[in-house]
Amino acid sequence: MKIIIAGGGIGGLTTALCCLHHGHDVVVLERAAELGDVGAGIQIPPNAMRVFEALGLGGAFDRFAVRPEAIEARMGRSGQMLFNIPLAETALERWGSPYLHIHRADYITLLASALREKEKTSVRLGQEVAGYRQTLNSVTVELADGSELSGDVLVGADGVHSVVRDQMLGADRPVFTGNVAWRAIVPIKLLGTDAPRPTACAWMGRGAHCATYRVRRGEFANLVAVVERDGWTLESWSEEGSREQALADFAGWHPTITRILEKTDRLFRWALFDRAPLTTWVDGRVALLGDAAHPMLPFMAQGAAMAVEDAWVLARELASSASANDGLRAYQSVRYERASAVQARSSGNSKVFHRRTWLGQLATYGPMWLAGKVAPALIHKMSDQLYGYDVTAP
């Protein structure tokens, strides 16, 4: 089949690679003039890495990524350790694939480079999708410049503000969660003894929490710092904020957090909006994927991973079905329950990180501390269903 993909982000590029792997022809339409991403880190859990290993790309990530030594949880102000549990080797032994941290721009670069080496693919930049129409035999994509492109299937991998989804289901109604995320990246050498450890670390606090980890072969520290806020109207990845405001939000927090905020060149803030699961991802020969289908909050580090899983299943079902319509319906059938469940868990996790009262903190973080001391395997066991899932299994 000829697969047209709207969106050249992680989900769109992975979909292109998976479709090529399963024998389809691919055209990627990206509205930006060049492939890239705002500077920030991202986690690639084992369930996503299985797809890249099946595509023959597993080793390519070693040039860019970091394998965190452990998963940690700490209190945000004192730095008191709740638990520290080995991760690097455990991920391979327990879930069969590594757990990685990578810069988003490096992630995009790696996927784009892999695509350029393939035949039967085209990545067209500066091509904004305006809408679509379809017949029984084809789908036609209408571009903002007035041109058109026809194929067998259109995949809307165009993110939370998806044009394809809006046409399929109407404008969405996101709900502000009351949380805003600050994002920053800083060279490790600028942080001295306050540099975050080479782990995946969550820092808990009253009405706020942070995540720290290293990217770019361990040479940079990445920070995501989430704080509760009143009403907000703008949903943007690229809005910049002031250092003074970020430091005020995290005044009194551990020096690892405040030092990154002090030393970063640019601070981006991202208001977190929640969305209910969609009623459908499919309209005939058109399907939604990744954030366009199931946008989720970043409290499980699974948003991009779910898009990667989607990509494999969509390509596989199209290759094994009698028609495009059958393949897309099968794709939704396989993916809907799992993606919706992860979407719900991601929404629920925000409450775990922000306990405001001493009693609430003791009730939530006390068992974490105890499990880390006497039964650390229980913490890994909680992730088995997520990280141990193999979407590439026959």
Side-chain angles (χ1 to χ4, degrees), residues 180-264:
V180 174
W182 292 94
R183 296 179 293 118
I185 186 167
V186 180
I188 289 287
K189 64 183 180 182
L190 297 182
L191 303 175
T193 57
D194 295 323
R197 289 153 53 88
T199 64
C201 186
W203 304 74
M204 317 293 193
R206 293 182 180 179
H209 80 278
C210 298
T212 56
Y213 52 89
R214 298 187 181 193
V215 295
R216 291 195 158 162
R217 298 166 296 278
E219 297 171 6
F220 286 79
N222 186 79
L223 170 69
V224 180
V226 180
V227 63
E228 293 177 3
R229 274 275 176 271
D230 292 331
W232 205 275
T233 58
L234 180 64
E235 184 179 27
S236 171
W237 269 85
S238 56
E239 180 188 3
E240 293 196 42
S242 72
R243 190 187 318 276
E244 292 74 20
Q245 182 61 64
L247 287 169
D249 285 342
F250 291 90
W253 276 58
H254 192 273
T256 293
I257 306 303
T258 57
R259 184 79 164 171
I260 294 175
L261 295 175
E262 290 169 354
K263 292 296 184 179
T264 186

Side-chain angles (χ1 to χ4, degrees), residues 155 165 168-169 277-290 292-294 309-318 321 323-341 389 391:
V155 179
R165 183 190 62 226
M168 184 185 296
L169 297 169
L278 301 178
T279 56
T280 184
W281 302 351
V282 174
D283 171 24
R285 292 175 171 270
V286 183
L288 304 175
L289 179 143
H294 43 72
E309 288 188 2
D310 288 349
W312 181 271
V313 174
L314 183 143
R316 180 190 67 202
E317 296 302 326
L318 285 175
S321 297
S323 69
N325 297 53
D326 289 346
L328 294 183
R329 284 194 294 267
Y331 152 71
Q332 176 174 293
S333 178
V334 171
R335 293 296 301 153
Y336 189 86
E337 183 176 352
R338 175 169 166 83
S340 297
Y389 186 80
V391 74

Side-chain angles (χ1 to χ4, degrees), residues 75 80-83 204 355 358-374 379:
M75 296 308 296
Q80 178 181 344
M81 183 80 71
L82 296 174
F83 60 78
M204 317 293 193
R355 299 303 189 200
W358 287 109
L359 184 60
Q361 289 184 357
L362 181 62
T364 300
Y365 308 141
M368 289 184 185
W369 175 85
L370 184 62
K373 293 293 184 183
V374 302
I379 296 176

Side-chain angles (χ1 to χ4, degrees), residues 21-44:
H21 178 84
H22 284 87
H24 307 294
D25 295 346
V26 174
V27 177
V28 178
L29 303 174
E30 168 55 43
R31 67 179 180 179
E34 59 183 27
L35 293 176
D37 212 326
V38 173
I42 189 170
Q43 304 186 48
I44 309 179

